[in-house]
């Protein structure tokens, strides 16, 4: 079978132009990325939601650049035919432009991602521009930006009043002008997301932003009911109950080991009868 070609930033833009919705899912390791690629997603985001759903932190803030690189490498190994985007973690793009470029280069060279993602608007436009000019594709992220959760004061809908809505639109335009090839819109009202989507020539990828963005992203563990202990969110659709399947499988495994139902002879490897007999006597064959 011919190997599928990974999407490119140009392809994602064409998808917007032709009204072909862009599907994105997060993944953080080899098996999740392999399954995502097999399902045919257009792009995989190695999100710093890694902190919440894999590493057990209560926010994305403790996630380090080394964490992101380590997880990106395993995702890339599994999904060679998928466009892979990696989050720049907390405070890795707010220092000097040199530091930002150095950190972004590590994600591309050591992690082998195809693109980076940064949270923020006008205040990060210089960082976006510098990376883009250095040949690193940048995805923006506006609305609820989890790395600023302590400043925002909780996971709430953004852009509800006209001043905030105007600011978000200005931020989106600033990111586009700085060279971003796409923008995630997280937890913004449907009307604002639709308006920003119309105003930009680059694609918008929504999460909790309604049905009128150019694409959609979900967190792997949320979409599959897999081990996430976060409260169910209204904007998430759960497509499988992987958590229950795994929990039931593990309970059965424990029960079978305790009851000596597993392993049985069927799962064992035997010596030749003569060797076993000579070593241990016929009783232990
Ligand atoms: O880290 C992440 O998974 C994200 C998505 C929620 C867009 O940024």
């Amino acid at each position: 079978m011919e190997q599928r070609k990974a999407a490119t930033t140009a392809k994602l833009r064409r998808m917007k132009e032709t009204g072909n919705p862009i599907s994105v899912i997060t993944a953080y390791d080899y098996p999740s990325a392999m399954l995502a690629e097999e399902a045919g997603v257009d792009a995989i985001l190695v999100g710093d939601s890694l902190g919440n759903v894999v590493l057990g932190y209560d926010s994305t803030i403790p996630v380090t650049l080394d964490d992101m690189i380590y997880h990106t490498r395993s995702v890339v190994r599994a999904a060679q035919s998928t466009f892979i985007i990696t989050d720049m973690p907390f405070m890795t793009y707010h220092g000097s432009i040199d530091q930002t470029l150095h950190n972004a280069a590590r994600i591309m060279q050591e992690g082998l991602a195809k693109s980076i993602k940064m949270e923020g608007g006008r205040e990060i436009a210089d960082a976006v521009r510098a990376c883009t000019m250095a040949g690193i594709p940048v995805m923006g992220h506006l609305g609820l930006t989890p790395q600023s959760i302590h400043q925002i004061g909780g996971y709430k809908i953004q852009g509800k009043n006209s001043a905030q809505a105007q600011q978000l639109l200005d931020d989106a335009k600033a990111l586009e002008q700085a060279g971003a090839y796409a923008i995630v819109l997280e937890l913004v009202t449907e009307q604002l997301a639709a308006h920003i989507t119309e105003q930009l020539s680059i694609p918008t990828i929504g999460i909790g932003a309604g049905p009128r963005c150019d694409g959609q992203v979900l967190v792997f563990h949320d979409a599959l009911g897999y081990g996430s202990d976060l409260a169910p969110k209204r904007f998430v659709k759960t497509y499988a109950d992987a958590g229950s399947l795994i929990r039931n499988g593990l309970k059965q495994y424990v029960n079978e080991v305790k009851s000596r139902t597993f392993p049985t002879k069927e799962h064992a490897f035997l010596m030749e009868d003569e060797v076993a007999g000579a070593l241990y006597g016929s009783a232990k064959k």
Side-chain angles (χ1 to χ4, degrees):
M1 203 174 63
E2 207 181 302
Q3 231 198 359
R4 188 180 78 131
K5 272 207 190 123
T8 58
T9 57
K11 174 158 185 221
L12 298 178
R13 193 170 180 132
R14 272 198 309 279
M15 289 175 80
K16 174 182 178 104
E17 286 160 5
T18 54
N20 184 0
I22 301 165
S23 58
V24 185
I25 190 92
T26 67
Y28 315 94
D29 59 15
Y30 191 93
S32 58
M34 187 183 72
L35 294 170
E37 176 161 292
E38 279 175 17
V41 292
D42 296 304
I44 291 176
L45 170 65
V46 188
D48 60 356
S49 50
L50 167 77
N52 302 96
V53 297
V54 174
L55 302 180
Y57 298 127
D58 65 359
S59 78
T60 59
I61 292 170
V63 177
T64 66
L65 191 59
D66 285 340
D67 291 334
M68 296 309 298
I69 291 168
Y70 176 87
H71 284 270
T72 301
R73 285 181 79 92
S74 60
V75 166
V76 170
R77 282 197 289 271
Q80 301 275 325
S81 305
T82 306
F83 187 70
I84 291 168
I85 308 145
T86 293
D87 261 326
M88 293 277 281
F90 183 67
M91 290 303 289
T92 55
Y93 48 103
H94 297 91
S96 69
I97 291 294
D98 277 356
Q99 276 168 340
T100 298
L101 286 172
H102 174 78
N103 293 337
R106 286 196 61 203
I107 288 184
M108 304 296 282
Q109 287 193 302
E110 296 174 42
L112 304 176
K114 301 267 180 14
S115 155
I116 57 173
K117 175 164 84 57
M118 295 178 187
E119 296 180 5
R122 279 156 290 183
E123 71 286 3
I124 61 153
D126 287 344
V128 172
R129 190 171 298 105
C131 289
T132 308
M133 285 178 69
I136 301 174
V138 182
M139 175 179 266
H141 184 155
L142 290 171
L144 191 283
T145 44
Q147 291 172 14
S148 313
I149 196 64
H150 298 312
Q151 194 171 43
I152 296 170
Y155 291 87
K156 19 185 188 198
I157 311 291
Q158 303 295 301
K160 275 171 103 173
N161 64 43
S162 60
Q164 273 186 4
Q166 185 59 47
Q167 254 183 29
L168 281 172
L169 176 62
D170 293 345
D171 282 337
K173 287 186 172 165
L175 292 176
E176 178 174 40
Q177 265 175 17
Y181 69 87
I183 300 179
V184 166
L185 296 177
E186 179 166 358
L187 272 192
V188 301
T189 60
E190 178 184 339
Q191 298 94 325
L192 176 61
H195 184 60
I196 293 177
T197 301
E198 272 167 24
Q199 296 288 309
L200 299 184
S201 55
I202 56 174
T204 58
I205 310 292
I207 174 162
R212 292 191 274 162
C213 291
D214 298 304
Q216 174 68 38
V217 57
L218 279 182
V219 169
F220 188 93
H221 294 60
D222 289 344
L224 300 173
Y226 174 34
S228 170
D229 55 2
L230 301 175
K233 305 167 194 100
R234 192 172 128 213
F235 61 86
V236 170
K237 186 165 173 188
T238 308
Y239 288 88
D241 191 0
S244 294
L245 266 177
I246 294 171
R247 192 175 302 110
N248 291 340
L250 289 173
K251 276 188 187 156
Q252 196 179 340
Y253 166 70
V254 172
N255 287 340
E256 291 199 1
V257 170
K258 299 275 182 206
S259 62
R260 293 207 178 276
T261 317
F262 176 83
T264 62
K265 277 197 173 294
E266 212 181 306
H267 309 104
F269 305 94
L270 296 179
M271 284 173 174
E272 294 293 331
D273 281 356
E274 308 86 80
V275 180
L279 280 171
Y280 309 120
S282 56
K284 289 214 178 143
K285 273 200 302 194

